[in-house]
Amino acid sequence: MGTFERYLSLWIALAILAGITLGQVLPGVVEALAGLEYANVNFAVAILIWAMVWPMMIGVDFSSLARVGEKPKGLVITLVVNWLIKPFTMAALGVLFFRYVFAGLIPPAEAEGYLAGLILLGAAPCTAMVFIWSQLTRGDPNYTLVQVSVNDAIMVFAFAPIVAFLLGVTEISVPWETLLLSVALYVVVPLVAGIAARALLKARGGEAAVDGFIERVKPASILGLLLTVVLLFGFQGEVILARPLVIALIAVPILIQSYGIFLLAYGAAFALKVPHRIAAPCALIGTSNFFELAVAVAISLFGLNSGAALATVVGVLVEVPVMLSLVAIANRTRAAFPESEEPVEAVP
């Protein structure tokens, strides 16, 4: 990692402070940016996510995707952890903390709302941000794309039934516009742009031109991450300052879940001798959350000022710092993983 990337945690901390300050000093600007949305998908954030994701998408070689099935371990770990373990452990942690550990600190009605929000977070594995975490751990872009794509396909069918089961209700309204628009904006659009850029670069200078261009645009990817953090914390700064104790309590099970899920998936990849370029992204996908979807569902089901909505917002707040710490862990333990399997390569 370069000098700038090595101190990324510091830049993120400064971006968090800048976001909160921006929300207090220029609330009108923040409100205007927050209003640039459709179906609870913010277009300002979407543009910044494109900046993060696009460089990695240029590295995707579609001719190699057919060979991903030859190395299924990473994909299997991702799917098992995301859909058979993560939603249920998040619900269990929510019950433990909000019905027992924090019972004397929070009114029961509020506690149930926070529990519902945690369930929504646990059932929505990450989509767009995975590409930046994969890039920071030098993950295989082709394999990461497959992992995210399969995850999204399952989410369309599994999210509502899992949430309905864990919430104990028979019907749940999923904002399909939010789900489908988010996948289109955060995955499909940058992927198409990446394919077009890759084809143009290869026509001009082959793989060397592709690699050189990706290296040159990497700073834009990191800048997109930092500006996304500024916006997210600008949007939620008022909440942070108004209810710090409640936010700290909600963050406890989220933090335990995040590190626990990462260790489980990363440990399984280590035990199965999965190469690091696949192991790191497969563990990070399950750790982070599709917070846009979770927030949208919480608002539609329980209301904008509900405990469930607040819990999903806390998920947004802890996401980036936690993921950066896990990226650091993954990078420092790279040597413990085998390098015997080559990353997915294009078919000659």
Side-chain angles (χ1 to χ4, degrees):
M1 297 175 69
T3 302
F4 185 79
E5 291 174 322
R6 192 174 300 117
Y7 293 101
L8 189 54
S9 296
L10 173 60
W11 312 138
I12 290 293
L14 293 175
I16 290 172
L17 292 175
I20 295 174
T21 303
L22 182 65
Q24 298 301 304
V25 176
L26 298 172
V29 173
V30 173
E31 288 176 8
L33 291 172
L36 298 175
E37 65 174 32
Y38 175 78
N40 291 300
V41 175
N42 186 272
F43 293 118
V45 173
I47 291 171
L48 294 175
I49 288 179
W50 292 342
M52 285 189 281
V53 172
W54 184 56
M56 189 169 185
M57 291 301 194
I58 297 174
V60 173
D61 186 352
F62 263 78
S63 64
S64 69
L65 297 185
R67 297 185 59 192
V68 169
E70 298 174 10
K71 304 180 181 73
K73 293 177 183 177
L75 186 58
V76 170
I77 292 170
T78 297
L79 297 181
V80 169
V81 169
N82 281 2
W83 298 107
L84 298 181
I85 298 175
K86 181 183 177 183
F88 305 99
T89 55
M90 188 74 264
L93 285 170
V95 169
L96 172 64
F97 281 96
F98 287 108
R99 289 184 180 171
Y100 298 99
V101 178
F102 299 152
L105 300 174
I106 302 174
E110 285 189 26
E112 289 303 303
Y114 302 146
L115 171 58
L118 293 180
I119 288 172
L120 292 173
L121 281 172
C126 191
T127 296
M129 294 292 282
V130 171
F131 293 105
I132 191 69
W133 310 136
S134 179
Q135 184 181 36
L136 290 174
T137 56
R138 286 183 276 168
D140 184 333
N142 300 325
Y143 206 99
T144 301
L145 175 64
V146 171
Q147 289 172 304
V148 170
S149 300
V150 174
N151 236 350
D152 288 346
I154 292 175
M155 184 158 43
V156 170
F157 299 100
F159 177 79
I162 289 176
V163 170
F165 171 75
L166 291 174
L167 289 178
V169 298
T170 56
E171 294 183 3
I172 181 171
S173 175
V174 176
W176 293 107
E177 282 183 308
T178 299
L179 177 56
L180 298 177
L181 182 60
S182 294
V183 171
L185 286 178
Y186 299 151
V187 179
V188 177
V189 170
L191 176 60
V192 171
I195 293 171
R198 182 183 179 86
L200 183 61
L201 289 166
K202 284 194 71 174
R204 290 181 175 179
E207 288 295 335
V210 173
D211 294 340
F213 183 79
I214 292 174
E215 199 61 34
R216 290 195 299 274
V217 298
K218 266 186 180 180
S221 183
I222 302 300
L223 181 61
L225 173 62
L226 294 175
L227 291 177
T228 299
V229 172
V230 171
L231 277 187
L232 292 177
F233 278 81
F235 295 161
Q236 307 300 338
E238 200 66 43
V239 176
I240 300 171
L241 297 175
R243 307 190 71 182
L245 175 60
V246 171
I247 287 171
L249 295 179
I250 296 173
V252 171
I254 295 176
L255 290 171
I256 294 173
Q257 165 84 347
S258 298
Y259 288 104
I261 288 295
F262 175 82
L263 292 174
L264 176 64
Y266 203 51
F270 175 77
L272 294 174
K273 302 186 185 304
V274 177
H276 192 268
R277 291 191 66 178
I278 295 174
C282 95
L284 294 170
I285 289 175
T287 306
S288 53
N289 300 302
F290 190 173
F291 53 78
E292 297 90 352
L293 176 61
V295 171
V297 176
I299 292 173
S300 65
L301 286 179
F302 303 102
L304 180 61
N305 297 315
S306 64
L310 179 60
T312 58
V313 166
V314 176
V316 179
L317 300 181
V318 302
E319 170 102 357
V320 174
V322 167
M323 294 307 297
L324 283 176
S325 70
L326 295 177
V327 165
I329 292 172
N331 284 331
R332 288 172 185 168
T333 55
R334 184 185 308 276
F337 285 77
E339 297 291 343
S340 56
E341 285 188 61
E342 295 296 323
V344 178
E345 297 177 352
V347 178

